[in-house]
């Protein structure tokens, strides 16, 4: 379920960048290599892989988690570089935001799905030793 939510969110984020491109402040590291629309397709593609992986058996969904890391990690690197280079003063804060997303994905990838703690056991009746 987590991969489905993340996947839909990433596809919407990418589609939003195509429909109404945002300002590229802090993204020069990425936009010097490819146009923003190409990076938007990275978000859409990673989201699609995550959505497909959401329907795979537990343990076989690793590709969904792996691809879900890629876009926010790339954005965090770009904003960190912009902050360190002095190109975008808010870059450090935005990078931490994207790293938070990466952390949540990493946490979710390590949590067993459908893990429910066992029901508490009733004490047995009998004589105490």
């Amino acid at each position: 379920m987590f991969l489905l939510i993340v996947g839909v969110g990433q596809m919407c984020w990418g589609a939003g960048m195509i429909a109404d491109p945002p300002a590229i402040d802090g993204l020069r590291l990425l936009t010097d290599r490819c146009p923003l629309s190409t990076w938007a397709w990275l978000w859409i593609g990673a989201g699609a892989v995550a959505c497909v992986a959401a329907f795979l058996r537990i343990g076989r969904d690793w590709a969904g988690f792996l691809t879900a890391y890629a876009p926010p990690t790339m954005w965090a690197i770009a904003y960190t570089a912009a902050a360190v280079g002095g190109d975008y003063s808010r870059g450090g804060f935005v990078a931490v935001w994207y790293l938070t997303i990466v952390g949540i994905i990493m946490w979710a990838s390590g949590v067993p799905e459908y893990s429910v703690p066992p029901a508490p056991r009733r004490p047995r009746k009998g004589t105490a030793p």
Side-chain angles (χ1 to χ4, degrees):
M1 181 61 103
F2 177 80
L3 281 174
L4 185 62
I5 294 167
V6 168
V8 168
Q10 287 185 342
M11 288 191 302
C12 289
W13 190 253
M17 279 190 256
I18 291 172
D20 187 16
I24 58 170
D25 296 339
L27 293 174
R28 187 181 318 159
L29 182 67
L30 299 177
T31 57
D32 283 352
R33 283 145 184 83
C34 296
L36 190 60
S37 61
T38 303
W39 294 107
W41 281 105
L42 172 72
W43 283 92
I44 294 169
V49 171
C51 284
V52 170
F55 295 101
L56 297 177
R57 207 168 3 156
I58 297 169
R60 296 186 180 199
D61 54 359
W62 61 268
F65 287 105
L66 188 62
T67 57
Y69 293 134
T73 301
M74 297 296 292
W75 256 243
I77 291 168
Y79 280 116
T80 300
V84 170
D87 296 333
Y88 189 56
S89 60
R90 291 183 46 212
F93 299 105
V94 180
V96 169
W97 168 250
Y98 282 107
L99 287 174
T100 303
I101 295 168
V102 171
I104 291 170
I105 295 169
M106 289 177 75
W107 167 81
S109 70
V111 173
E113 198 166 337
Y114 305 114
S115 65
V116 179
R121 297 175 76 181
R122 288 185 161 177
R124 295 190 325 195
K125 293 182 181 180
T127 59

